[in-house]
Each structure stands twice: as structure tokens, then as C-alpha cells.
């Protein structure tokens, strides 16, 4: 928990503001402690923050909160934008990916936007142990990377803040541009364009 509270926004609010009209409604899946939620609220957006962790949601301010698995969320309303950040789309489980994207599709307005953060294949292929970046006083290092089957990587991140150290292990499925577009299409969404020069943010829209 403390680790997540140390992390700062990394350009996400600016990405959102470049797409979503001022004052618009946003459904944020996987909000965590509100790292991105809070600056979006400060920009005047109306947020609903969804996360599985009640402990994390307790730190969210200025937004409606919903504790639930993303795949199971059914709010019976539509939003100007739905956000799926933290590379959640890269889940190793195909059914989970379909569930995540279906949730995006059933909550976005017909003229709305789905903003998805992912790892483009060229970046996924470049992963290697020892890579690191800094976020203020926080250092985040790729401590271990292992391809356990074609396109599926098990990785461990090591995060250091002063004398405190956290580790987190996760699995990540490599997706090509075509595979991402196909996954979106299965949920009734269309890949519209990439929003950032590094291609890590994708804009999708309802296919209809």
C-alpha cells in the first residue's frame, strides 16, 4: 500500500485531457489509491473509481468508489470515457482480457472513448533484468524476466525508496497490434489510434 501511495502520475491526466471533454464523466478501472484519479478530479472531471481493494479505495477522494472485480462491474450507466490502465489488458488469461474489455464496452457512451494503457510489442520484447527508472525518490527496477512460454513473460519488479524495498511479481502476455485490435473487436470496440508517441496509450471507440 505504501508503495502505491509514493507513485506519482506519469502523464496520464494529460493523455485523458487530450481526449475527454472538460467536465466529462470517467469510469476508471483499477484506480488503486487514486494516483490518477485525484489529478483528474482536480481538472474538473467526474470520476467513478473501481478497484478490488477496499483498503486502496479508502484513500480515494473526490470520486465515487466501487469495490468490485472489473469483469463483474455493471453500473447500468454510460460514461464519456472508460479508462483501463496499468497494462491490465496484458493479463495472461484470455477470458480475463475478454471480461475486462467487455466491461469497458458496456459502460462507454456510444460517442465515448475507451483509453487503454498497454505494452507495445516492441517494448515488451525489449524487457530485460536490470532495467530501471526513477519516479522522484522512488526507483523501480526490473529485477527478473523469464519467458515461460512463447509471448508469456513472468517478471518481478523491485521498488526502492530510501531503505525500504518492495517486490511485485506478475505475468504479462505479449500482444501484437493486430492481436490487440482483434481482442477489442470481440468486445465490440475498434482501435481508433495511439495517443502517445511511445504507443503505450490506445484510444478505442464503440465499433457500432
Amino acid at each position: 500500500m505504501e508503495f502505491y501511495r509514493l507513485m506519482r502520475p506519469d502523464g496520464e491526466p494529460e493523455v485523458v485531457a487530450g481526449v475527454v471533454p472538460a467536465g466529462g464523466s470517467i469510469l476508471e478501472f483499477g484506480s488503486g489509491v487514486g494516483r490518477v484519479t485525484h489529478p483528474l478530479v482536480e481538472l474538473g472531471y467526474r470520476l467513478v473509481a473501481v478497484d478490488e481493494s477496499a483498503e486502496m479505495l479508502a484513500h480515494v477522494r473526490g470520486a465515487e468508489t466501487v469495490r468490485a472485480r472489473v469483469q463483474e462491474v455493471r453500473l447500468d450507466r454510460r460514461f464519456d470515457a472508460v479508462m483501463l490502465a496499468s497494462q491490465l489488458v496484458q493479463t495472461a488469461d484470455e477470458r480475463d482480457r475478454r471480461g475486462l474489455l467487455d466491461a469497458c464496452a458496456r459502460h462507454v457512451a456510444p460517442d465515448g472513448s475507451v483509453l487503454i494503457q498497454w505494452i507495445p510489442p516492441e517494448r515488451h520484447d525489449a524487457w530485460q533484468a536490470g532495467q530501471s527508472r526513477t519516479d522522484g525518490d522512488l526507483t523501480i527496477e526490473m529485477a527478473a524476466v523469464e519467458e515461460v512460454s512463447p509471448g508469456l513473460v513472468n517478471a518481478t519488479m523491485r521498488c526502492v525508496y530510501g531503505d525500504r524495498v518492495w517486490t511485485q511479481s506478475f505475468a504479462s502476455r505479449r500482444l501484437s497490434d493486430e492481436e490487440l485490435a482483434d481482442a477489442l473487436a470481440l468486445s465490440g470496440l475498434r482501435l481508433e489510434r495511439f495517443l502517445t508517441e511511445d504507443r503505450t496509450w490506445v484510444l478505442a471507440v464503440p465499433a457500432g
Side-chain angles (χ1 to χ4, degrees):
M1 174 65 66
E2 188 177 5
F3 158 66
Y4 292 108
R5 296 185 67 187
L6 289 170
M7 294 186 69
R8 301 180 299 184
D10 187 25
E12 297 93 343
E14 291 78 12
V15 171
V16 174
V19 175
V20 186
S25 59
I26 300 174
L27 177 61
E28 182 188 9
F29 286 141
S31 65
V33 297
R35 179 180 64 88
V36 177
T37 317
H38 296 146
L40 289 175
V41 168
E42 290 172 4
L43 288 172
Y45 291 106
R46 294 171 286 123
L47 269 289
V48 175
V50 177
D51 202 278
E52 291 186 49
S53 169
E55 187 181 6
M56 288 194 176
L57 286 175
H59 295 277
V60 174
R61 299 288 181 266
E64 179 183 344
T65 59
V66 176
R67 183 190 177 191
R69 291 185 73 239
V70 171
Q71 296 90 330
E72 298 169 0
V73 174
R74 285 173 170 77
L75 299 180
D76 295 323
R77 46 184 157 143
R78 302 273 179 163
F79 296 79
D80 296 319
V82 179
M83 287 181 59
L84 184 68
S86 302
Q87 296 93 32
L88 293 176
V89 73
Q90 236 93 20
T91 175
D93 189 309
E94 299 291 336
R95 289 174 297 179
D96 275 351
R97 181 176 303 108
R98 176 66 184 272
L100 292 167
L101 296 177
D102 282 353
C104 293
R106 66 175 169 263
H107 289 98
V108 67
D111 59 347
S113 304
V114 178
L115 289 78
I116 299 171
Q117 186 182 30
W118 77 314
I119 306 165
E122 63 272 17
R123 291 173 65 98
H124 207 276
D125 293 341
W127 275 3
Q128 55 183 310
Q131 292 174 325
S132 66
R133 64 182 178 88
T134 57
D135 181 3
D137 294 328
L138 182 68
T139 298
I140 304 172
E141 178 188 3
M142 186 75 77
V145 180
E146 179 186 7
E147 187 170 22
V148 293
S149 64
L152 180 62
V153 169
N154 284 347
T156 299
M157 302 296 294
R158 182 174 182 267
C159 307
V160 181
Y161 184 83
D163 59 356
R164 286 171 284 179
V165 178
W166 301 267
T167 60
Q168 180 180 6
S169 297
F170 60 95
S172 180
R173 170 69 65 185
R174 180 192 190 275
L175 295 173
S176 67
D177 292 21
E178 294 77 13
E179 288 168 333
L180 176 61
D182 289 346
L184 289 166
L186 287 173
S187 296
L189 299 169
R190 184 180 76 251
L191 197 163
E192 182 78 359
R193 58 190 170 92
F194 297 102
L195 295 172
T196 54
E197 187 175 345
D198 63 6
R199 302 192 334 118
T200 56
W201 279 92
V202 173
L203 172 63
V205 297

